[in-house]
Amino acid sequence: MTGNYRHLLLGLSLCVLLISFAALDSAARPEFAAREDKDCIFCHIDPAGGGPRNAVGQVFEENYFEFPQDFDPESLMAEAKEIAQRLTTAVDIRTAYIKTTDVVHEEETLANCASCHSSVDSFLMMQGELTVNAEASDKLRLTLSNNLGAMLNAFATVDAIPEHLYVKVGQFRIPFGLKQKDHNILVKGGYNLGSNKRDVGIEFGGSYGGLFYNAAVFNGGNATIFSGGRSADVDENHHKAWVATAGGNVGPLRAGVSYLRNKSRDQRTMTVGTFLTAVHKDPIFQRDLVLEGEFNIRGNFHGRESIIIEDEDIDSKGYYVGAKYHLMRGLVLSGRYGLFDSNRKILGDAQQRVTIAAQYTFMKSGSLELLYWLNIENENRTDNNSRQLRGVDQLILMSHFWF
């Protein structure tokens, strides 16, 4: 793809996003949870949202994420609660075929689950997850899930005060910013806070009225070791880290802020993120237009004991903005622009990507998704910086089956 065509496609993508934001009015509502005016636990087993759905959520999913007319969720939940020590299982399988626009077999660069570029086309197993939930009582749930041996959830959840306060203990996903299943978002992967990030600790959270909140203390202090030509994050467990998120529904918007403080062996860092989600109901076709964005920064305290860092202490930043439109039942079109600058002191290391996607749910437990990654090459890129995107585009066909 030539530079002129790439710039044209980028410009058109950004225009679509800007037009989408301009279309937002007072009728906008956050997607799913706020649209139905319900908390995450109304449809999910995990009160923090995500993962397997309960009996109500299964009906919602099977009806293409809408409740059938005359549906009575309260009666269904009351019937489900009569079954003691109930087991719920779920299977989630994702595969992908990645097609690069510039095949160079001599480079032998293979695609992976967080690929910025591949010179050889390949099939990938993106997810193969089995989840088991056991309701030991009406307030205690046990969850165990494993994704291809690389991502383990194992925790207990106690509904201390139903809807208002839950306690989660074990190994779970670090609650920061918008919860996204896509771990290829540049800023999420750059800060290691994407869908693949897990740690051991304890989490508190809940909601009250239009407010939601959570806080967690976990091991933190990870270090990167290199062995056999590979790198891996190892939990040194020298120090503890903590994270807190607070937000709420303000009129048509759902917004919040997350604060994470971590200390490794030789430094103390802070990561702050602000996020926003909104849904606008198209008055003509009665379809949802979803807008979302997140902006994160990270800084180093350089030995100081303060809570807030100064501007010169900020090492990196990143953000993404996107829009999704439910064109018709089962068909969603989306676009997203993301940027991650891993080091503000290095010129030309910022990564940029535009993602354009179409997802079609062709059956109640299966969907196909076609994604186009427009990886934008940095004009100041140097060949010895592996973090920079080369600007080589990729086409990805994703299949997703769950039950």
Side-chain angles (χ1 to χ4, degrees), residues 289-357:
L289 172 65
V290 182
L291 309 175
E292 62 182 13
E294 182 175 338
F295 176 79
N296 299 333
I297 60 171
R298 174 175 289 182
N300 193 319
F301 286 95
H302 300 292
R304 299 196 312 273
E305 294 298 327
S306 61
I307 298 179
I308 304 298
I309 60 177
E310 301 176 358
D311 180 70
E312 58 267 23
D313 299 322
I314 298 177
D315 300 324
S316 59
K317 65 180 180 179
Y319 65 91
Y320 64 90
V321 292
K324 295 188 294 184
Y325 183 68
H326 295 245
L327 184 63
M328 55 183 292
R329 187 181 179 117
L331 179 60
V332 179
L333 305 179
S334 63
R336 181 176 65 222
Y337 170 77
L339 178 145
F340 178 61
D341 187 356
S342 58
N343 193 328
R344 297 176 64 194
K345 299 179 181 179
I346 298 179
L347 178 65
D349 71 327
Q351 305 174 62
Q352 300 178 77
R353 174 183 294 155
V354 172
T355 301
I356 302 173

Side-chain angles (χ1 to χ4, degrees), residues 27-48:
R29 297 286 293 170
E31 192 175 18
F32 292 163
R35 186 186 72 187
E36 303 297 334
D37 197 22
K38 299 292 184 181
D39 295 321
C40 296
I41 197 172
F42 187 75
C43 285
H44 289 271
I45 295 175
D46 187 346

Side-chain angles (χ1 to χ4, degrees), residues 250-314:
V250 182
L253 306 176
R254 181 180 177 90
V257 58
S258 293
Y259 180 101
L260 186 152
R261 183 164 172 164
N262 192 14
K263 186 176 183 180
S264 60
R265 179 178 295 177
D266 56 353
Q267 66 178 353
R268 210 156 42 93
T269 62
M270 177 195 77
T271 306
V272 178
T274 59
F275 54 91
L276 172 70
T277 302
V279 175
H280 167 65
K281 179 71 72 172
D282 184 353
I284 300 177
F285 300 103
Q286 293 297 303
R287 295 297 179 184
D288 289 336
L289 172 65
V290 182
L291 309 175
E292 62 182 13
E294 182 175 338
F295 176 79
N296 299 333
I297 60 171
R298 174 175 289 182
N300 193 319
F301 286 95
H302 300 292
R304 299 196 312 273
E305 294 298 327
S306 61
I307 298 179
I308 304 298
I309 60 177
E310 301 176 358
D311 180 70
E312 58 267 23
D313 299 322
I314 298 177

